[in-house]
Each structure stands twice: as structure tokens, then as C-alpha cells.
Amino acid sequence: MAQLLDEHSEILQQSEFKALLLAEQIATVQQSDINETKELLTLLAHHPELKTISLGECPAILIYAQALAPRIANIGIASPNGHVLCTVLNSAKPIDISDRLYFQDANRTKKFSVGQFQHDRSINKATVNFAIPVLNDDKQVLHTLVVAQSLTKWSYALAKLPLPAGSKVMISDKQHNIIAQYPFKPEQLGQPLNLSWPSSSHKAEVAEDRFGQNRIYLQLPLEPNKPRTSLQIHFSLPFEQAINAANQKVATTLSLFILAIVIIIWQARWQLNRVLLKPLKSLQNAMSQFTNSEPVNWGKEQSSPEFLAITQQFEFMANTRLNAEQALTHKHAELIALLTALPDSYLRINQSGEILMSHGPYFQGAKAIQDIFPTHVFKRVLAQLALLEEQPYSQLEFSQLADDNTQHVYECRINHISEHQQAILIIRDISQRKQHEEAISLAALVYKNSSEGMVITDSNGFILDTNPAFSEVTGFKREEVIGKTTSILSSGKHNKQFYSQMWQQLSEQGRWQGEIINRRKNGELYTEWLTINSVYNAHNEAYRRVAIFTDITDRKRKDELIWHQAHFDQLTELANRIELKRHLKCQLEDDQANVGILLLDLDHFKDINDTLGHYYGDQLLTEVASRLISLQSECSLISRIGGDEFVLVTTYNDCEQLSKTAEKVLQLLKPSISLGQEQCHISASIGIAHAPRDGDTSELLLKAADQAMYQAKQHGRNGFAFFSAHMREQAEHRMALLKDLRVALTQQQFILYYQPIVAMKDQSIVKAEALIRWRHPEKGIVSPALFIPLAEETQLIHGIGEFIFSTACDTLCALNQLGHHLQLSINVSPVQFTAKHSALNDWHQQLTNKGLTTEQFVIEITEGLMMNALPRTQQRLTTLTKQGFALALDDFGTGYSSLAYLKQMDTDFIKIDKRFVDGIAHTADDLALCEAMIMMAHQLGLKVIAEGIETATQHQLLLQAGCDFGQGFYYAKPMPKDELVNLLNTA
């Protein structure tokens, strides 16, 4: 069955693969057409006739170019400010194309630019335009060459392609508008793609069209180097036939399989019922009769001799037992009636404490005496059982926690059964009696020794008695207040209405509780928590009032202090993070409130702490807080949430007003601040967010402002930035990528590719660079440029670096066994050198264990590592070179290029970056730079590796310049280990 499902999946995968292959072929054809247009415009842009243009007259070379390219509907030239100077098909009216994005991109980038769908004003047709600037010798834009390509002709060109029946093809521009399609529908040109086409990705996806038919959908960029900005081609192929064939095969086989299982089960059930189940059913009925004390009558069904023997033995045993039980039933009923009449529970036990009989709710079917009593009571009972002959009667009391979590007190009486070494234990619950006794004693103790003041009055408030705590709190002695009303404690802080409501509640409910301010005998005011309860007589009339009060003056002062300390910053006296969140929550709960926040972080505050010390750092924070307080009229709250971060909550969320407030903050911070003998200047980076667009909770709003603040820091500090949805998307994308990266390390989703490095003289493969690749199960190959910086930031680079080194060692071992001796280059992150704990020091031992030498490895580092090397980094670099590892300086020429560090770090190779190699065939400056770097390296005794060689011309020029080694697509692309082995075997 599993094989059948695999075949079903394989059928669908093959269909999807064929669709993807066909789409890539069609995309290649369309790419070729665009490349032809690009090459034509590039040639025209360098033609001498286009250097000088007369208004209204186009050079003849443009007319020839249009004749050579049938798809070109019109060719023209525009000035740098967007005015069309001339067109092959002359337009009667002046045209300004300065608003066209493709024209702006071409002039900005000085490169070939692709436009979007538009209605061309020169020929009055739907077109897609292309543009390329014409540059003078100083690389300045003279004018711009513009080509309009007819969309109708483009769609007709798609129709000429060899497409399968039922296929659909669309081409969309950067704005996702349709610019060409097959089958051709003129009215859909320029319409949004999503109106007639489902969303799709570069992976093949199956979906239903509007007719309910399954189809394969996918899309590919026409410019692979610009997948997000280039034209996209969309392809669709019918998929229904492949799905139906696979489903029919699965359904047929599954039906036959189920039918066979049903037949087997039916036959097994028939045999089991005949041989075993019917005799067992008869046995079950006989046992049921025996259980119900009925005469046993076993059925006489045919069965085996063994079951017949069981029948006879069981009937004899059951009838004998039933007769004996009937004789004992009457005696048992009499005993149960007697035990039920007793109010207590009892046990009959032997001298060893084994239970012989039990009755009553206390025991609840316990099997052993140790399960009944607590451990200390169990030991006392055993001791009394041992003394039964000397003390035939004994009594003890104990307490125990019942199932309802209430404490019960029990009385246990032990009586000896004469002429037997046994005893009767009678248990009685005396909890209620004990509670009454203790309650009377406890009430007296509580009243006299309670720390709370107590007053007993009559129903009208005249004092009858007080406890000692009353005198301690109020200062009045007991004899001073007897016979007086409680009004002698009145402070005058409460009005008549307060006391009227109190007495009204006492009259209606018999109880009052609340906080009240009274006055001591010495005139001092105090706050108390007062509870008054009424005592009723037999006629349900209140005849006593019992008041209990606690002096909470000190507690209220402490609570206020604790609350202030918990909600305000002790250094600046501004609200802290807790108070900020509470304030924001209250503001956001009001749908009508306008809420905006400014989160500011002081720039380079750490430098002040490091140079002047934390004392002056605190002074600086205090001064900043005092300046921010001047904005209280515009803010509902100003807070310091930690370190050098402050948050201002405004009463408006208008972007213009928030910007003005941010400018005021920056202006307030501009004046210098005196710290001791120093005059310091401080600035801040401000992130702005407002509700509800950026968040409807305090957490979301603060997070948004924090992200905007970091955006302001990235833009140069001393400024502000508003939060945008793009920032949230970036943060979410980063978190998702980090999560996937941790999974990739655990599930070994990384692989190594190897790009050969050749000797320039004979192009023989002498080295290879190991390149990490992430094979994501859903996203495919993920570029190292995306995940390596994140891995370095989160220290995951250590695990990746160890994977690279270990895998490279295994590859070298395999190559050595095949007789291929290569030197492998591996990239080592600066984090691996600077981290406190790094495995770099163990690499030499790992090589020794695998029978490899350090001379077989080249460690590639960056110039930044050398310039910013810490003592730990320098020590590790020195150790690696002493162990025999070769060092290569990667991307040479793009950073600091310090010659002193080249010698200090004992570098063996420098690698010329691809960006210099790209231009040596047509740019004299790049060629001169490469020649200078090669000559300089040779003078220092270093070898040179050129990266990114893609043409024979580049190879020849670098060979003439004396370059030692080459690396690039001209020789070989990065490849898996197996392909590298095959390449070496055939070399």
C-alpha cells in the first residue's frame, strides 16, 4: 500500500516537474528577447551619432535599428529633464516622460531599465518601454535612448511558441499588471494580474481554476538577478488528467485490499464462535446464576469433554456453597442490625493489630490498622494491645484531618475480649464537644490579647466594654469610655452623610465595614479599618454591636511609599516602565483617546559612563529628565523606562504634531551639559509610534517605537523615525529565519559546495574553496548572505563553522584516498576568533586524528578582522599560522587594505574581489588596480587569487598581469563533493 501511495506521489511530482521545465524553457526564450533589446540599446548608446542630437531629427541609425527589431514600435531620444527630442515615428505634440519610472531609473542608475505597462503617447498604443542613458566621456548623462515595444506583438509572439493544449501564459510588469498573454485577450492588457490569475511562486503549485479544473501554476522572473523588480512570466498547465489517473489506481487497489481483509475476518469469527465463544457463554450464564444465589443450571450444548467435566464440578461446588450461605444469612442479618444501632465505629483485632472485623464510617473498608490511624496513634494502639492482660481497658484521644480538610478529634476505647488474644476498638468523633470547649476558652484569650481594638456597645452605640488593645490605639482607658458613645473618637474628617449611611447599613444589613479616620485622646489623627457586626436577640432585634478595628496609619504610609517606588524612577522621579504600561493601558481602553509615543535613546551614552563614570552619567540622566519635563503640557506622561531610554506619551497621534514634538526634544538636548569640569553634548535617536495603527496594546506600541528608534540610529542618529509595517515584517522575518536556522543546525540541513581554484598558467585544479549552502525544506537554497550575519549575531556561527571544518576534513580524506591532493579554503567568521570559547584551537588535533596536515587548509579571513583584532584574536591567528595553516585575505581591496597588517598577520594569499575583475576587460582603472595589487602582493611574497573570472578575456588579462590562481564560472561553478570528484577524475 505504501508503494502504491509512493507511485501516486511520483506521478504528480513528474507532472509538476514537466510543467516547471516547460516554464523555464519559455522564460528562457522571453529572457533572450529582452537581452537582445538590451544589447541593441547598449550598442546604440555607444554609437557616435547619438552623442549630438538635433531637436526633432533622429539619427538614421535609429531607423535601421527599428527595422531590425520587429517588436519595436517606436524609438526616441529624451533630454535628461524628460523632454522627448525626437522619435522615429514623429509625434505632432511635445511629450514629457520625466514622470515615467523606467526613465528615472535609467538616469539614476546609468544602466538599462525596464518599464511597466503604459499607453505610449507617441504612437497611442499599449507598450512596455525600455531605456538606457547615453553618457559622455565623464560618465554624465547626455540624453536617454527610449524604446517602446508593442504589447500586441509580444502577445502574438507568445502564441507562436510550441505550447501544450490548454496552456496559459501571462507576462506581468513590476506593478503586477498584464503586458502579454496567451491566449490573447486585448481587453486584459494593463489589468491587475490577480483579477485573472491566482497567486503563485517559483515552486509549482496545484489549484482549481474558476471552472473547477485542477491546473499547475508557477511563475519565474525574466531577469534572475532581479527576481523582485523584473518582469515575471506566469505559466499554467492542465493537471486534471494526471490526478485522475493516479487516484483511479489507488482506489482500485485499496478496494481489493479491503475486500480480502473482510473475508478473512468473517472466517476467523465463525471458527472462534463455534469452538470457544458458545461454551464460554454457557459458563458465564452459570456463574451469573451462582452470583445471584440462584440454582445453577448449565446448558447442555455440545462441547468438548473438558467443558463437560467443568460443568459437573462447577454445579456440585455451587449448590453446596449456596446451601451453606442460606444458613448463615439469618445470623448475619441479626448482627448487622445490632451494629447499625450503635452510634460509634468499631474494630475487632488480634494482639498483632490485624483487622478481623470492622464496622462504621470511620474505617471505610481499611485492610490494615496502620491505614486507619496516624503513625503516632498506631504505635500507641500496638503498645496497649501488648498490655491487654494487665490493662484490659484503656482510652486515648487523637486528632486527624478528614477528607473534607477539616480537623476532627476522636476518642478511642480499647476493650479486651476474654479468653481470646483479641480486642474491640470503639471510635467516637468528639470534635463538636472539643470545639465548644475550645471556643469558650479561645474567645476569652482573643478578646484580651488581640492586637486589634474591640468595642462592645448597645444597639444605640453606647460603649459597654473594650479590650486592652482599644486603649493602646486610642489612648482612652476602659473606665473613661464606659457609658459614652463612640462619637468621642470622631475626628471631624467625615460629614454627617457618611455616618448616616453607616447607621442605615447597620440597620438594614446588621454589618458595616470600611476605612475611617478617628482621633486619639492626644488629638492625633489615625486611620483605622473598622468592622461592625450586630448581635440579635430571640426577637430578631439588634441589642449589641461588636466593633473590631485595626490601626492602618503606618501601613497606608508604607503602601504609598511602596507604590511610589514601584511606579517611579528613583533617579529622575519620572514614571518608570510599570507606570508607563499602566498609563498606556488606561489610555488605550478609551476608544476616543488619541495616543502617540516617542521613545528616545541617548546617543553614545555608554561613552560618557566609560570615560567620566556612572556618577556623572546619573547627573546627565537627571538633567535630560529635567529638560523633558518642560514638555509636560504636550504629554500625558513622561517616563524613564531604563538605562538611557525615555518615553513621552502624547495626547495626539497626528504625524505632523508628533514630528514637531520630536524636533522640540532634539532642540532641548542640543545645549551643552556641565558634568564636573567637562562640557558634554548629547543627542538622541527617537522612535515614534501611534495607536491604533501601530499597536492597540502597550507592549505592541512600545515594541513598534523601539523598532523605529533603531531605524533612526541606523540613519545616523540625532533624528527620529516613524514606525512602519515594513519594520514589523523585517522583525518577524528575522525571527522566522532564526527559528529555521536553529532547526537547520539540529536537522543537518547544511551542505558544502566546492568551487575549484586553478593555476592561471595551465588551468589545472590545485585548490578549492568550500562554500556553505542551506538546503531549506520549503524555501530551497537560502543564500549565505541572508543567514550568516544572523548566525554571527546569535553565536550559531560556531556550530556552522564546526560543520564546515568537519565536512571539509571528510572531503579531503576522501580525495586523498582517490589520489587527488588539493588545498581546501574555508571561510572563518570573525566571531569564531573573538568569542571567549572557540574550537579553533582544537582544529590541529582533529586533523592529526584524521591523518591530515594543516598545509592542506587555507583559512580565509576578512580585512575587518585584521584591523579590529583583539589580543585574543591575534593570539589565535598566530597559533594557527604557527601550526601550519595558510591564511588568505578575502575581498582584498574592498576594505582597509592595510599593508602593515599583511606582514604582521603572516598572510599567504590575497584574493582580489570580483567587483574589480568584472571591469578589467573594458575599464582601464580596474585593470590598473588589479595589476597594482598583484605586483604589490608579489613584492611582499604573497600569492594572488582572483575571484569571479567569467570570460576568457578576463583570464588572459590576469594571466598577463602575473596573477597566480583563478576562481570563477569560467573554470567551474560551485558543486557538490561527488561532482568535484568526477571533475578531478576526468581532468
Side-chain angles (χ1 to χ4, degrees):
M1 193 65 190
Q3 181 179 2
L4 183 63
L5 293 176
D6 290 340
E7 291 177 1
H8 176 272
S9 177
E10 184 177 356
I11 291 172
L12 301 184
Q13 290 177 358
Q14 289 177 356
S15 299
E16 292 177 355
F17 178 76
K18 291 178 181 178
L20 180 60
L21 185 62
L22 182 58
E24 290 176 347
Q25 292 175 351
I26 295 174
T28 302
V29 173
Q30 300 303 310
Q31 165 105 33
S32 176
D33 292 341
I34 294 177
N35 289 340
E36 289 177 2
T37 302
K38 180 178 179 180
E39 292 174 0
L40 176 61
L41 290 183
T42 303
L43 293 174
L44 291 175
H46 289 85
H47 199 279
E49 289 186 19
L50 268 69
K51 300 295 183 179
T52 57
I53 300 298
S54 300
L55 183 63
E57 296 181 2
C58 284
I61 187 65
L62 297 186
I63 300 174
Y64 299 147
Q66 185 183 20
L68 290 175
R71 288 193 188 179
I72 294 178
N74 197 6
I75 304 180
I77 299 177
S79 64
N81 59 6
H83 294 293
V84 177
L85 302 177
C86 72
T87 60
V88 171
L89 299 179
N90 289 320
S91 176
K93 59 180 179 180
I95 300 174
D96 184 357
I97 64 171
S98 60
D99 60 332
R100 302 296 194 186
L101 293 178
Y102 72 89
F103 174 79
Q104 297 172 2
D105 289 344
N107 286 349
R108 178 174 52 83
T109 62
K110 298 181 182 180
K111 293 181 180 180
F112 175 76
S113 175
V114 180
Q116 301 89 36
F117 171 86
Q118 69 176 44
H119 195 81
D120 192 276
R121 291 169 286 192
S122 65
I123 59 176
N124 197 27
K125 291 183 179 179
T127 64
V128 168
N129 287 15
F130 305 89
I132 192 169
V134 179
L135 307 178
N136 59 17
D137 294 339
D138 296 329
K139 305 302 181 183
Q140 300 298 317
V141 177
L142 290 174
H143 31 261
T144 305
L145 182 60
V146 181
V147 168
Q149 184 164 320
S150 171
L151 299 186
T152 303
K153 291 184 179 180
W154 201 340
S155 295
Y156 288 156
L158 288 178
K160 296 178 182 180
L161 297 174
L163 298 173
S167 299
K168 293 182 181 180
V169 182
M170 286 190 180
I171 299 177
S172 62
D173 61 12
K174 302 176 185 179
Q175 304 299 325
H176 306 294
N177 294 323
I178 299 173
I179 61 174
Q181 64 176 164
Y182 168 79
F184 182 45
K185 295 180 181 180
E187 67 276 6
Q188 291 188 355
L189 292 180
Q191 295 297 316
L193 179 69
N194 58 12
L195 296 181
S196 56
W197 199 272
S199 61
S200 59
S201 63
H202 65 278
K203 291 179 61 178
E205 297 179 354
V206 178
E208 287 188 358
D209 60 15
R210 59 180 181 176
F211 301 105
Q213 299 296 318
N214 287 301
R215 302 181 68 88
I216 297 179
Y217 292 92
L218 56 88
Q219 73 176 34
L220 293 172
L222 290 184
E223 294 181 85
N225 295 331
K226 303 176 181 178
R228 294 188 178 179
T229 60
S230 69
L231 304 179
Q232 302 283 327
I233 183 166
H234 308 265
F235 181 76
S236 173
L237 184 69
F239 196 56
E240 194 70 32
Q241 185 176 359
I243 292 178
N244 291 340
N247 290 343
Q248 183 176 3
K249 187 174 181 181
V250 171
T252 302
T253 305
L254 184 60
S255 299
L256 293 175
F257 177 78
I258 293 174
L259 179 60
I261 293 298
V262 169
I263 293 173
I264 293 172
I265 292 174
W266 175 83
Q267 186 176 10
R269 181 179 177 84
W270 180 78
Q271 291 287 349
L272 182 64
N273 185 61
R274 184 180 64 85
V275 175
L276 184 61
L277 294 182
K278 285 185 178 181
L280 287 179
K281 182 64 175 178
S282 298
L283 176 60
Q284 181 181 0
N285 294 334
M287 294 180 68
S288 178
Q289 293 171 350
F290 176 61
T291 302
N292 297 327
S293 299
E294 298 174 358
V296 175
N297 183 18
W298 198 322
K300 302 301 182 181
E301 295 89 356
Q302 293 183 355
S303 60
S304 63
E306 292 80 0
F307 271 96
L308 288 176
I310 293 174
T311 300
Q312 297 171 358
Q313 293 176 6
F314 183 78
E315 286 181 348
F316 176 77
M317 176 191 70
N319 292 327
T320 303
R321 178 66 178 271
L322 288 173
N323 292 333
E325 286 183 353
Q326 288 176 358
L328 293 174
T329 299
H330 182 69
K331 294 296 184 183
H332 184 264
E334 292 179 358
L335 179 60
I336 292 299
L338 176 62
L339 295 178
T340 304
L342 295 175
D344 303 322
S345 302
Y346 82 94
L347 278 179
R348 182 179 179 183
I349 59 177
N350 60 20
Q351 203 167 12
S352 300
E354 297 177 355
I355 297 176
L356 305 178
M357 183 179 295
S358 65
H359 178 78
Y362 180 79
F363 307 113
Q364 296 181 351
K367 296 181 179 180
I369 191 173
Q370 56 264 36
D371 298 332
I372 299 174
F373 300 107
T375 303
H376 66 286
V377 178
F378 165 67
K379 292 180 179 179
R380 290 172 63 189
V381 171
L382 286 183
Q384 291 300 125
L385 291 175
L387 300 173
L388 283 176
E389 296 294 338
E390 295 82 1
Q391 299 179 9
Y393 174 81
S394 59
Q395 181 176 325
L396 57 92
E397 291 183 4
F398 66 93
S399 61
Q400 190 174 13
L401 193 65
D403 293 339
D404 57 356
N405 289 328
T406 58
Q407 195 75 19
H408 286 249
V409 180
Y410 296 95
E411 180 183 74
C412 178
R413 298 192 300 275
I414 305 174
N415 293 278
H416 181 228
I417 300 177
S418 59
E419 300 181 359
H420 293 83
Q421 292 300 319
Q422 298 176 2
I424 294 293
L425 268 68
I426 301 174
I427 307 295
R428 174 174 293 179
D429 189 346
I430 59 173
S431 302
Q432 189 172 9
R433 187 184 74 193
K434 287 291 185 180
Q435 288 175 359
H436 291 165
E437 294 173 355
E438 291 179 2
I440 295 173
S441 175
L442 184 61
L445 289 173
V446 169
Y447 186 73
K448 292 181 179 180
N449 299 290
S450 174
S451 61
E452 296 181 329
M454 296 184 184
V455 181
I456 300 176
T457 71
D458 62 10
S459 59
N460 297 316
F462 287 91
I463 299 174
L464 302 177
D465 195 11
T466 63
N467 70 341
F470 172 87
S471 300
E472 292 180 8
V473 174
T474 64
F476 289 100
K477 296 180 180 179
R478 179 175 178 274
E479 55 271 17
E480 291 178 328
V481 297
I482 297 297
K484 298 181 180 179
T485 66
T486 54
S487 61
I488 64 171
L489 302 175
S490 177
S491 64
K493 293 294 183 179
H494 303 287
N495 54 28
K496 292 182 178 180
Q497 185 180 2
F498 174 83
Y499 291 107
S500 297
Q501 291 176 351
M502 176 195 294
W503 280 104
Q504 182 179 355
Q505 184 173 336
L506 279 172
S507 300
E508 295 175 354
Q509 303 178 14
R511 189 176 187 275
W512 185 89
Q513 186 178 53
E515 189 176 293
I516 189 170
I517 299 176
N518 277 336
R519 189 182 302 275
R520 308 186 202 273
K521 182 179 180 181
N522 60 6
E524 178 185 348
L525 298 179
Y526 68 97
T527 304
E528 67 180 36
W529 182 258
L530 174 64
T531 301
I532 305 175
N533 287 287
S534 301
V535 180
Y536 296 90
N537 59 18
H539 303 289
N540 201 27
E541 297 174 345
Y543 80 105
R544 293 288 185 269
R545 311 280 188 192
V546 178
I548 302 175
F549 63 90
T550 303
D551 187 353
I552 60 173
T553 306
D554 291 339
R555 189 177 73 189
K556 286 186 66 67
R557 292 196 190 106
K558 292 178 182 178
D559 289 345
E560 291 174 358
L561 177 62
I562 291 173
W563 187 90
H564 188 273
Q565 291 176 343
H567 289 76
F568 288 86
D569 177 44
Q570 296 184 11
L571 177 64
T572 62
E573 289 299 319
L574 295 177
N576 62 11
R577 182 181 292 272
I578 296 176
E579 178 63 15
L580 171 63
K581 288 188 174 182
R582 187 201 64 78
H583 178 78
L584 284 176
K585 182 180 180 181
C586 295
Q587 294 290 315
L588 293 173
E589 287 176 351
D590 184 2
D591 296 337
Q592 304 299 323
N594 296 320
V595 180
I597 66 171
L598 288 79
L599 190 152
L600 64 97
D601 182 90
L602 301 182
D603 297 330
H604 305 298
F605 177 72
K606 182 177 181 298
D607 296 341
I608 294 177
N609 271 341
D610 293 343
T611 55
L612 301 180
H614 289 278
Y615 172 77
Y616 289 108
D618 290 346
Q619 282 191 359
L620 175 66
L621 293 174
T622 304
E623 176 62 23
V624 170
S626 65
R627 294 185 182 185
L628 293 178
I629 291 175
S630 64
L631 299 174
Q632 275 184 330
S633 60
E634 302 179 25
C635 302
S636 61
L637 186 73
I638 300 175
S639 64
R640 175 188 175 222
I641 61 175
D644 58 341
E645 288 187 335
F646 297 82
V647 174
L648 284 68
V649 182
T650 67
T651 56
Y652 45 80
N653 58 7
D654 179 73
C655 293
E656 182 178 354
Q657 290 179 306
L658 290 170
S659 298
K660 291 180 180 179
T661 304
E663 292 287 357
K664 290 181 182 179
V665 172
L666 297 177
Q667 290 299 323
L668 286 173
L669 298 179
K670 272 189 177 181
S672 62
I673 299 175
S674 298
L675 299 177
Q677 302 298 322
E678 300 290 337
Q679 293 293 322
C680 295
H681 293 269
I682 197 75
S683 63
S685 299
I686 305 174
I688 306 175
H690 56 79
R693 191 194 70 178
D694 300 333
D696 55 2
T697 66
S698 59
E699 290 78 8
L700 290 176
L701 210 56
L702 288 171
K703 182 179 179 180
D706 191 62
Q707 292 175 354
M709 181 269 291
Y710 280 107
Q711 186 75 14
K713 283 188 178 293
Q714 293 175 0
H715 290 169
R717 304 177 190 267
N718 194 26
F720 60 88
F722 282 87
F723 175 78
S724 65
H726 177 65
M727 296 179 187
R728 181 170 287 138
E729 290 174 1
Q730 283 183 326
E732 291 175 352
H733 174 73
R734 180 182 180 278
M735 292 302 295
L737 185 62
L738 178 59
K739 178 181 177 182
D740 290 348
L741 190 58
R742 297 185 189 278
V743 173
L745 271 174
T746 304
Q747 299 182 355
Q748 296 295 322
Q749 295 177 2
F750 294 105
I751 57 174
L752 281 190
Y753 275 46
Y754 303 89
Q755 186 170 28
I757 301 174
V758 304
M760 295 293 288
K761 293 182 179 180
D762 56 6
Q763 297 189 26
S764 61
I765 300 174
V766 294
K767 304 175 185 292
E769 181 179 0
L771 302 169
I772 187 73
R773 294 291 185 267
W774 180 3
R775 189 164 48 196
H776 195 282
E778 296 177 358
K779 301 175 183 178
I781 298 298
V782 181
S783 171
L786 293 177
F787 69 84
I788 290 298
L790 183 59
E792 291 178 332
E793 181 182 345
T794 58
Q795 300 296 315
L796 294 177
I797 193 64
H798 296 291
I800 295 176
E802 285 305 297
F803 167 79
I804 293 173
F805 179 73
S806 177
T807 307
C809 289
D810 294 340
T811 300
L812 274 178
C813 290
L815 292 176
N816 290 343
Q817 292 177 359
L818 296 173
H820 303 299
H821 300 286
L822 291 184
Q823 192 178 41
L824 276 187
S825 297
I826 58 174
N827 292 277
V828 180
S829 167
V831 177
Q832 294 177 261
F833 283 98
T834 58
K836 183 176 181 180
H837 301 288
S838 177
L840 294 179
N841 296 332
D842 302 331
W843 282 9
H844 180 265
Q845 185 61 43
Q846 293 183 42
L847 292 177
T848 303
N849 295 339
K850 294 186 178 184
L852 300 173
T853 63
T854 54
E855 288 76 11
Q856 294 177 276
F857 274 94
V858 176
I859 295 177
E860 295 192 7
I861 59 177
T862 60
E863 296 178 3
L865 174 68
M866 299 172 63
M867 292 296 296
N868 302 310
L870 300 173
R872 182 187 295 130
T873 303
Q874 294 182 355
Q875 179 183 1
R876 287 175 176 164
L877 279 170
T878 302
T879 300
L880 290 174
T881 54
K882 287 182 178 180
Q883 290 174 348
F885 287 98
L887 291 182
L889 191 59
D890 199 8
D891 301 333
F892 185 77
T894 62
Y896 305 98
S897 304
S898 173
L899 303 183
Y901 281 102
L902 286 177
K903 294 304 295 179
Q904 179 179 342
M905 293 300 178
D906 196 15
T907 309
D908 300 280
F909 302 92
I910 66 170
K911 299 190 74 173
I912 300 177
D913 189 73
K914 181 181 184 298
R915 69 190 71 179
F916 297 108
V917 175
D918 286 343
I920 61 175
H922 50 80
T923 304
D925 292 343
D926 286 344
L927 179 59
L929 282 172
C930 290
E931 291 174 341
M933 285 187 280
I934 293 170
M935 181 174 62
M936 174 206 65
H938 287 170
Q939 290 294 325
L940 294 174
L942 307 178
K943 298 292 185 180
V944 180
I945 304 172
E947 294 182 302
I949 301 175
E950 297 182 354
T951 65
T953 303
Q954 294 172 346
H955 168 80
Q956 193 62 34
L957 289 173
L958 289 169
L959 178 62
Q960 294 174 2
C963 184
D964 302 290
F965 305 100
Q967 179 180 354
F969 286 6
Y970 176 67
Y971 312 110
K973 295 181 179 181
M975 61 189 70
K977 181 182 73 173
D978 295 341
E979 293 184 18
L980 176 65
V981 172
N982 293 336
L983 180 63
L984 293 173
N985 289 337
T986 56

